[in-house]
Amino acid sequence: MNANTVAPEDTAARTALWRALHTELDPSPVLEDTIGLDLLAPSADWRDRGDMDPAFTHGMRAWVATRSRIVEDLVRDSGIGQYVLLGSGLDSFAQRHPDAAVTVFEVDEPGPQQWKRERLAELGLHTDRQRFVPVDFESDGDWPARLRDLGFDTARQAVVSSLGVSMYLTREATAATLATVAGLAPGTVLAMTYQPPTEQLSGADRRAREISMAGAARNGTPFISFYTADDAARLAREAGFAQVRVISTDDATARYFAGRDDGLAPAHGEEMLVATV
Ligand SMILES: C[S@@+](CC[C@H](N)C(=O)[O-])C[C@H]1O[C@@H](n2cnc3c(N)ncnc32)[C@H](O)[C@@H]1O
């Protein structure tokens, strides 16, 4: 291991394990993804952890799988050949879609990204279409320059995702990210999740949010920023995007979970902004 290698944040590991749980436990998964589990190689009893409880994670594992599925459908349907993942964590699009004619640029903090690179190499899963761009969004707004160094063509469109990241960043950092993406080539699409304020949640969704927030704070990665749908859309318009829409939990449920007889549906607690330059 390199001296700068840092294991992934608990949050990134958790979402990867939830995608694996969804793949293992739920019939007809919306996304089949066990690569993060392979990279993490947790101890055999990982499914017994409280945060992996099948009932507790039901809606959250459905959402975490769905948010990736929404973006991957966007990449496929758009035919756009550059996919930038901001806060990529243990995402495995590049491994699961080896035939897609898409160059994948993964942007994340340097230490965990180095860890991922080493694990991919150890498991023989590295692909040449995958470029790694170590960046801390709070201190380095000019990540497109770093992408360019690795072959990103700023004259061409891209799909840019930011999944499960905005709640950890200051509002200023997110506004800067929006402005940066809005400055990319016309037709570029940003898909960014945001968390609505806790007061907007009720019942099990609210309890899950409170538990997640407490856990994140304990791990030193507190949730610090929340957005209503109007707020997120306004920020995107102010950043200069030409078209802005939001995908609510109910929109995602109607699109990906209609007609299921197992009651599986995404939890409320995170939504998605889709903004086009
Ligand atoms: C909850 S994880 C989500 C990972 C992945 N997008 C997914 O859906 O599984 C949040 C990711 O954001 C990254 N992240 C958080 N703050 C960051 C920052 N300031 N700069 C760069 N990456 C950051 C973390 O390293 C982590 O990989």
mmCIF file of all heavy atoms in Angstrom, residues 48-84:
data_model
loop_
_atom_site.group_PDB
_atom_site.id
_atom_site.type_symbol
_atom_site.label_atom_id
_atom_site.label_comp_id
_atom_site.label_asym_id
_atom_site.label_seq_id
_atom_site.Cartn_x
_atom_site.Cartn_y
_atom_site.Cartn_z
ATOM 1 N N ASP A 48 -24.636 -9.010 9.263
ATOM 2 C CA ASP A 48 -25.230 -8.935 10.609
ATOM 3 C C ASP A 48 -25.098 -7.551 11.221
ATOM 4 O O ASP A 48 -25.600 -7.306 12.327
ATOM 5 C CB ASP A 48 -24.548 -9.959 11.551
ATOM 6 C CG ASP A 48 -24.710 -11.380 11.036
ATOM 7 O OD1 ASP A 48 -25.712 -11.633 10.342
ATOM 8 O OD2 ASP A 48 -23.817 -12.213 11.303
ATOM 9 N N ARG A 49 -24.397 -6.664 10.564
ATOM 10 C CA ARG A 49 -24.242 -5.305 11.104
ATOM 11 C C ARG A 49 -25.612 -4.622 11.185
ATOM 12 O O ARG A 49 -26.478 -4.821 10.341
ATOM 13 C CB ARG A 49 -23.350 -4.464 10.176
ATOM 14 C CG ARG A 49 -21.884 -4.759 10.280
ATOM 15 C CD ARG A 49 -21.061 -4.155 9.189
ATOM 16 N NE ARG A 49 -21.448 -2.830 8.731
ATOM 17 C CZ ARG A 49 -20.758 -2.116 7.823
ATOM 18 N NH1 ARG A 49 -19.651 -2.612 7.314
ATOM 19 N NH2 ARG A 49 -21.168 -0.940 7.452
ATOM 20 N N GLY A 50 -25.766 -3.754 12.195
ATOM 21 C CA GLY A 50 -27.043 -3.047 12.364
ATOM 22 C C GLY A 50 -27.412 -2.246 11.127
ATOM 23 O O GLY A 50 -28.586 -2.198 10.733
ATOM 24 N N ASP A 51 -26.412 -1.614 10.499
ATOM 25 C CA ASP A 51 -26.727 -0.782 9.336
ATOM 26 C C ASP A 51 -26.912 -1.596 8.060
ATOM 27 O O ASP A 51 -27.071 -1.019 6.975
ATOM 28 C CB ASP A 51 -25.669 0.314 9.135
ATOM 29 C CG ASP A 51 -24.283 -0.252 8.873
ATOM 30 O OD1 ASP A 51 -24.089 -1.476 9.041
ATOM 31 O OD2 ASP A 51 -23.386 0.527 8.510
ATOM 32 N N MET A 52 -26.895 -2.934 8.194
ATOM 33 C CA MET A 52 -27.162 -3.809 7.044
ATOM 34 C C MET A 52 -28.434 -4.633 7.277
ATOM 35 O O MET A 52 -28.755 -5.515 6.489
ATOM 36 C CB MET A 52 -25.974 -4.777 6.805
ATOM 37 C CG MET A 52 -24.706 -4.071 6.400
ATOM 38 S SD MET A 52 -24.877 -3.239 4.789
ATOM 39 C CE MET A 52 -24.013 -1.701 5.111
ATOM 40 N N ASP A 53 -29.138 -4.319 8.369
ATOM 41 C CA ASP A 53 -30.349 -5.068 8.685
ATOM 42 C C ASP A 53 -31.329 -5.014 7.498
ATOM 43 O O ASP A 53 -31.637 -3.926 7.007
ATOM 44 C CB ASP A 53 -31.006 -4.443 9.924
ATOM 45 C CG ASP A 53 -32.282 -5.151 10.276
ATOM 46 O OD1 ASP A 53 -32.205 -6.243 10.832
ATOM 47 O OD2 ASP A 53 -33.372 -4.614 9.945
ATOM 48 N N PRO A 54 -31.802 -6.184 7.046
ATOM 49 C CA PRO A 54 -32.647 -6.188 5.847
ATOM 50 C C PRO A 54 -33.880 -5.287 5.962
ATOM 51 O O PRO A 54 -34.236 -4.608 4.990
ATOM 52 C CB PRO A 54 -33.050 -7.664 5.716
ATOM 53 C CG PRO A 54 -31.952 -8.418 6.373
ATOM 54 C CD PRO A 54 -31.489 -7.549 7.510
ATOM 55 N N ALA A 55 -34.519 -5.249 7.132
ATOM 56 C CA ALA A 55 -35.729 -4.420 7.262
ATOM 57 C C ALA A 55 -35.352 -2.940 7.323
ATOM 58 O O ALA A 55 -35.942 -2.106 6.631
ATOM 59 C CB ALA A 55 -36.497 -4.833 8.519
ATOM 60 N N PHE A 56 -34.343 -2.606 8.122
ATOM 61 C CA PHE A 56 -33.931 -1.194 8.260
ATOM 62 C C PHE A 56 -33.448 -0.619 6.933
ATOM 63 O O PHE A 56 -33.708 0.541 6.608
ATOM 64 C CB PHE A 56 -32.835 -1.090 9.333
ATOM 65 C CG PHE A 56 -32.222 0.271 9.454
ATOM 66 C CD1 PHE A 56 -32.980 1.355 9.895
ATOM 67 C CD2 PHE A 56 -30.880 0.486 9.134
ATOM 68 C CE1 PHE A 56 -32.415 2.626 9.995
ATOM 69 C CE2 PHE A 56 -30.315 1.744 9.225
ATOM 70 C CZ PHE A 56 -31.085 2.815 9.655
ATOM 71 N N THR A 57 -32.756 -1.419 6.147
ATOM 72 C CA THR A 57 -32.148 -0.887 4.916
ATOM 73 C C THR A 57 -33.066 -0.957 3.692
ATOM 74 O O THR A 57 -32.690 -0.476 2.619
ATOM 75 C CB THR A 57 -30.862 -1.676 4.560
ATOM 76 O OG1 THR A 57 -31.200 -3.056 4.327
ATOM 77 C CG2 THR A 57 -29.829 -1.588 5.656
ATOM 78 N N HIS A 58 -34.240 -1.554 3.862
ATOM 79 C CA HIS A 58 -35.147 -1.840 2.738
ATOM 80 C C HIS A 58 -35.230 -0.679 1.736
ATOM 81 O O HIS A 58 -34.819 -0.803 0.571
ATOM 82 C CB HIS A 58 -36.532 -2.113 3.352
ATOM 83 C CG HIS A 58 -37.444 -2.902 2.496
ATOM 84 N ND1 HIS A 58 -38.645 -2.379 2.047
ATOM 85 C CD2 HIS A 58 -37.366 -4.162 2.024
ATOM 86 C CE1 HIS A 58 -39.260 -3.311 1.319
ATOM 87 N NE2 HIS A 58 -38.517 -4.397 1.303
ATOM 88 N N GLY A 59 -35.751 0.459 2.212
ATOM 89 C CA GLY A 59 -35.956 1.590 1.304
ATOM 90 C C GLY A 59 -34.666 2.281 0.917
ATOM 91 O O GLY A 59 -34.533 2.809 -0.196
ATOM 92 N N MET A 60 -33.693 2.270 1.817
ATOM 93 C CA MET A 60 -32.430 2.992 1.523
ATOM 94 C C MET A 60 -31.603 2.240 0.494
ATOM 95 O O MET A 60 -31.005 2.846 -0.398
ATOM 96 C CB MET A 60 -31.653 3.223 2.816
ATOM 97 C CG MET A 60 -32.392 4.221 3.727
ATOM 98 S SD MET A 60 -31.504 4.618 5.237
ATOM 99 C CE MET A 60 -31.531 3.072 6.099
ATOM 100 N N ARG A 61 -31.580 0.914 0.585
ATOM 101 C CA ARG A 61 -30.802 0.172 -0.426
ATOM 102 C C ARG A 61 -31.492 0.296 -1.782
ATOM 103 O O ARG A 61 -30.829 0.344 -2.820
ATOM 104 C CB ARG A 61 -30.577 -1.281 -0.019
ATOM 105 C CG ARG A 61 -31.811 -2.149 0.057
ATOM 106 C CD ARG A 61 -31.451 -3.600 0.420
ATOM 107 N NE ARG A 61 -32.589 -4.480 0.323
ATOM 108 C CZ ARG A 61 -33.289 -4.948 1.357
ATOM 109 N NH1 ARG A 61 -32.965 -4.621 2.605
ATOM 110 N NH2 ARG A 61 -34.319 -5.760 1.164
ATOM 111 N N ALA A 62 -32.848 0.380 -1.749
ATOM 112 C CA ALA A 62 -33.567 0.550 -3.020
ATOM 113 C C ALA A 62 -33.209 1.905 -3.641
ATOM 114 O O ALA A 62 -32.974 2.017 -4.841
ATOM 115 C CB ALA A 62 -35.071 0.445 -2.794
ATOM 116 N N TRP A 63 -33.143 2.957 -2.817
ATOM 117 C CA TRP A 63 -32.834 4.281 -3.366
ATOM 118 C C TRP A 63 -31.395 4.368 -3.880
ATOM 119 O O TRP A 63 -31.128 4.885 -4.963
ATOM 120 C CB TRP A 63 -33.102 5.388 -2.339
ATOM 121 C CG TRP A 63 -32.518 6.684 -2.805
ATOM 122 C CD1 TRP A 63 -31.439 7.336 -2.273
ATOM 123 C CD2 TRP A 63 -32.926 7.468 -3.940
ATOM 124 N NE1 TRP A 63 -31.164 8.461 -3.013
ATOM 125 C CE2 TRP A 63 -32.057 8.573 -4.035
ATOM 126 C CE3 TRP A 63 -33.937 7.316 -4.895
ATOM 127 C CZ2 TRP A 63 -32.169 9.534 -5.046
ATOM 128 C CZ3 TRP A 63 -34.052 8.276 -5.896
ATOM 129 C CH2 TRP A 63 -33.177 9.372 -5.964
ATOM 130 N N VAL A 64 -30.476 3.855 -3.084
ATOM 131 C CA VAL A 64 -29.058 3.968 -3.471
ATOM 132 C C VAL A 64 -28.800 3.235 -4.793
ATOM 133 O O VAL A 64 -28.045 3.708 -5.651
ATOM 134 C CB VAL A 64 -28.171 3.443 -2.316
ATOM 135 C CG1 VAL A 64 -26.777 3.118 -2.788
ATOM 136 C CG2 VAL A 64 -28.116 4.473 -1.206
ATOM 137 N N ALA A 65 -29.468 2.095 -4.973
ATOM 138 C CA ALA A 65 -29.344 1.398 -6.260
ATOM 139 C C ALA A 65 -30.022 2.209 -7.367
ATOM 140 O O ALA A 65 -29.492 2.333 -8.476
ATOM 141 C CB ALA A 65 -29.972 0.005 -6.157
ATOM 142 N N THR A 66 -31.173 2.797 -7.035
ATOM 143 C CA THR A 66 -31.945 3.518 -8.055
ATOM 144 C C THR A 66 -31.216 4.769 -8.530
ATOM 145 O O THR A 66 -31.221 5.082 -9.723
ATOM 146 C CB THR A 66 -33.329 3.905 -7.490
ATOM 147 O OG1 THR A 66 -33.988 2.713 -7.058
ATOM 148 C CG2 THR A 66 -34.182 4.594 -8.549
ATOM 149 N N ARG A 67 -30.566 5.485 -7.618
ATOM 150 C CA ARG A 67 -29.914 6.731 -8.057
ATOM 151 C C ARG A 67 -28.807 6.422 -9.060
ATOM 152 O O ARG A 67 -28.612 7.150 -10.038
ATOM 153 C CB ARG A 67 -29.431 7.550 -6.852
ATOM 154 C CG ARG A 67 -28.255 6.974 -6.097
ATOM 155 C CD ARG A 67 -27.928 7.767 -4.837
ATOM 156 N NE ARG A 67 -26.683 7.295 -4.265
ATOM 157 C CZ ARG A 67 -26.214 7.647 -3.088
ATOM 158 N NH1 ARG A 67 -26.881 8.498 -2.325
ATOM 159 N NH2 ARG A 67 -25.066 7.180 -2.655
ATOM 160 N N SER A 68 -28.097 5.320 -8.837
ATOM 161 C CA SER A 68 -27.073 4.930 -9.825
ATOM 162 C C SER A 68 -27.723 4.502 -11.126
ATOM 163 O O SER A 68 -27.259 4.859 -12.217
ATOM 164 C CB SER A 68 -26.212 3.778 -9.286
ATOM 165 O OG SER A 68 -25.448 4.213 -8.196
ATOM 166 N N ARG A 69 -28.819 3.762 -11.014
ATOM 167 C CA ARG A 69 -29.518 3.286 -12.220
ATOM 168 C C ARG A 69 -30.011 4.473 -13.068
ATOM 169 O O ARG A 69 -29.890 4.453 -14.308
ATOM 170 C CB ARG A 69 -30.677 2.390 -11.796
ATOM 171 C CG ARG A 69 -31.645 2.024 -12.889
ATOM 172 C CD ARG A 69 -31.059 1.059 -13.923
ATOM 173 N NE ARG A 69 -32.038 0.859 -14.986
ATOM 174 C CZ ARG A 69 -33.010 -0.063 -14.968
ATOM 175 N NH1 ARG A 69 -33.104 -0.913 -13.940
ATOM 176 N NH2 ARG A 69 -33.861 -0.153 -15.962
ATOM 177 N N ILE A 70 -30.547 5.500 -12.396
ATOM 178 C CA ILE A 70 -31.065 6.663 -13.137
ATOM 179 C C ILE A 70 -29.940 7.271 -13.976
ATOM 180 O O ILE A 70 -30.105 7.554 -15.161
ATOM 181 C CB ILE A 70 -31.645 7.723 -12.168
ATOM 182 C CG1 ILE A 70 -32.888 7.197 -11.461
ATOM 183 C CG2 ILE A 70 -31.968 9.016 -12.929
ATOM 184 C CD1 ILE A 70 -33.394 8.115 -10.323
ATOM 185 N N VAL A 71 -28.780 7.454 -13.366
ATOM 186 C CA VAL A 71 -27.677 8.088 -14.085
ATOM 187 C C VAL A 71 -27.149 7.159 -15.182
ATOM 188 O O VAL A 71 -26.830 7.601 -16.286
ATOM 189 C CB VAL A 71 -26.535 8.484 -13.124
ATOM 190 C CG1 VAL A 71 -25.442 9.209 -13.893
ATOM 191 C CG2 VAL A 71 -27.057 9.373 -12.032
ATOM 192 N N GLU A 72 -27.071 5.873 -14.888
ATOM 193 C CA GLU A 72 -26.553 4.945 -15.898
ATOM 194 C C GLU A 72 -27.495 4.862 -17.094
ATOM 195 O O GLU A 72 -27.048 4.742 -18.238
ATOM 196 C CB GLU A 72 -26.275 3.584 -15.245
ATOM 197 C CG GLU A 72 -25.152 3.719 -14.224
ATOM 198 C CD GLU A 72 -24.746 2.430 -13.533
ATOM 199 O OE1 GLU A 72 -25.141 1.341 -13.994
ATOM 200 O OE2 GLU A 72 -24.014 2.514 -12.535
ATOM 201 N N ASP A 73 -28.797 4.970 -16.847
ATOM 202 C CA ASP A 73 -29.752 5.041 -17.961
ATOM 203 C C ASP A 73 -29.534 6.321 -18.762
ATOM 204 O O ASP A 73 -29.622 6.332 -19.991
ATOM 205 C CB ASP A 73 -31.199 4.991 -17.442
ATOM 206 C CG ASP A 73 -31.616 3.577 -17.034
ATOM 207 O OD1 ASP A 73 -30.824 2.638 -17.226
ATOM 208 O OD2 ASP A 73 -32.743 3.429 -16.513
ATOM 209 N N LEU A 74 -29.249 7.403 -18.033
ATOM 210 C CA LEU A 74 -28.996 8.696 -18.692
ATOM 211 C C LEU A 74 -27.760 8.604 -19.591
ATOM 212 O O LEU A 74 -27.763 9.075 -20.737
ATOM 213 C CB LEU A 74 -28.785 9.739 -17.591
ATOM 214 C CG LEU A 74 -28.795 11.215 -17.882
ATOM 215 C CD1 LEU A 74 -30.123 11.632 -18.464
ATOM 216 C CD2 LEU A 74 -28.575 11.964 -16.546
ATOM 217 N N VAL A 75 -26.718 7.978 -19.084
ATOM 218 C CA VAL A 75 -25.492 7.810 -19.877
ATOM 219 C C VAL A 75 -25.811 6.993 -21.125
ATOM 220 O O VAL A 75 -25.472 7.380 -22.254
ATOM 221 C CB VAL A 75 -24.388 7.113 -19.042
ATOM 222 C CG1 VAL A 75 -23.185 6.764 -19.908
ATOM 223 C CG2 VAL A 75 -23.960 7.999 -17.873
ATOM 224 N N ARG A 76 -26.491 5.883 -20.945
ATOM 225 C CA ARG A 76 -26.810 5.009 -22.088
ATOM 226 C C ARG A 76 -27.716 5.730 -23.094
ATOM 227 O O ARG A 76 -27.440 5.761 -24.293
ATOM 228 C CB ARG A 76 -27.499 3.741 -21.569
ATOM 229 C CG ARG A 76 -27.796 2.717 -22.655
ATOM 230 C CD ARG A 76 -28.826 1.720 -22.182
ATOM 231 N NE ARG A 76 -30.076 2.401 -21.866
ATOM 232 C CZ ARG A 76 -30.975 1.980 -20.975
ATOM 233 N NH1 ARG A 76 -30.776 0.871 -20.312
ATOM 234 N NH2 ARG A 76 -32.084 2.648 -20.745
ATOM 235 N N ASP A 77 -28.800 6.337 -22.601
ATOM 236 C CA ASP A 77 -29.794 6.923 -23.512
ATOM 237 C C ASP A 77 -29.266 8.165 -24.225
ATOM 238 O O ASP A 77 -29.696 8.476 -25.324
ATOM 239 C CB ASP A 77 -31.078 7.273 -22.747
ATOM 240 C CG ASP A 77 -31.755 6.040 -22.184
ATOM 241 O OD1 ASP A 77 -31.407 4.920 -22.619
ATOM 242 O OD2 ASP A 77 -32.618 6.177 -21.300
ATOM 243 N N SER A 78 -28.347 8.879 -23.589
ATOM 244 C CA SER A 78 -27.844 10.120 -24.193
ATOM 245 C C SER A 78 -26.810 9.845 -25.276
ATOM 246 O O SER A 78 -26.597 10.662 -26.168
ATOM 247 C CB SER A 78 -27.200 11.008 -23.117
ATOM 248 O OG SER A 78 -26.021 10.383 -22.633
ATOM 249 N N GLY A 79 -26.155 8.700 -25.182
ATOM 250 C CA GLY A 79 -25.085 8.403 -26.130
ATOM 251 C C GLY A 79 -23.840 9.251 -25.894
ATOM 252 O O GLY A 79 -22.906 9.233 -26.696
ATOM 253 N N ILE A 80 -23.813 9.990 -24.787
ATOM 254 C CA ILE A 80 -22.665 10.848 -24.471
ATOM 255 C C ILE A 80 -21.480 9.964 -24.048
ATOM 256 O O ILE A 80 -21.652 9.001 -23.298
ATOM 257 C CB ILE A 80 -23.055 11.861 -23.362
ATOM 258 C CG1 ILE A 80 -24.071 12.873 -23.935
ATOM 259 C CG2 ILE A 80 -21.833 12.557 -22.787
ATOM 260 C CD1 ILE A 80 -24.646 13.843 -22.904
ATOM 261 N N GLY A 81 -20.294 10.305 -24.534
ATOM 262 C CA GLY A 81 -19.150 9.414 -24.363
ATOM 263 C C GLY A 81 -18.203 9.753 -23.222
ATOM 264 O O GLY A 81 -17.141 9.138 -23.090
ATOM 265 N N GLN A 82 -18.583 10.755 -22.396
ATOM 266 C CA GLN A 82 -17.727 11.096 -21.251
ATOM 267 C C GLN A 82 -18.619 11.111 -20.000
ATOM 268 O O GLN A 82 -19.639 11.804 -19.973
ATOM 269 C CB GLN A 82 -17.106 12.481 -21.422
ATOM 270 C CG GLN A 82 -16.309 12.641 -22.718
ATOM 271 C CD GLN A 82 -15.564 13.961 -22.757
ATOM 272 O OE1 GLN A 82 -14.363 14.000 -22.545
ATOM 273 N NE2 GLN A 82 -16.255 15.071 -23.009
ATOM 274 N N TYR A 83 -18.213 10.340 -19.014
ATOM 275 C CA TYR A 83 -18.995 10.258 -17.772
ATOM 276 C C TYR A 83 -18.066 10.640 -16.612
ATOM 277 O O TYR A 83 -17.057 9.979 -16.379
ATOM 278 C CB TYR A 83 -19.542 8.837 -17.607
ATOM 279 C CG TYR A 83 -20.347 8.585 -16.351
ATOM 280 C CD1 TYR A 83 -20.940 9.623 -15.631
ATOM 281 C CD2 TYR A 83 -20.536 7.288 -15.879
ATOM 282 C CE1 TYR A 83 -21.680 9.379 -14.491
ATOM 283 C CE2 TYR A 83 -21.283 7.028 -14.735
ATOM 284 C CZ TYR A 83 -21.849 8.084 -14.048
ATOM 285 O OH TYR A 83 -22.580 7.835 -12.902
ATOM 286 N N VAL A 84 -18.419 11.708 -15.925
ATOM 287 C CA VAL A 84 -17.620 12.210 -14.805
ATOM 288 C C VAL A 84 -18.387 11.939 -13.515
ATOM 289 O O VAL A 84 -19.532 12.367 -13.365
ATOM 290 C CB VAL A 84 -17.381 13.733 -14.927
ATOM 291 C CG1 VAL A 84 -16.538 14.234 -13.757
ATOM 292 C CG2 VAL A 84 -16.735 14.076 -16.261
#
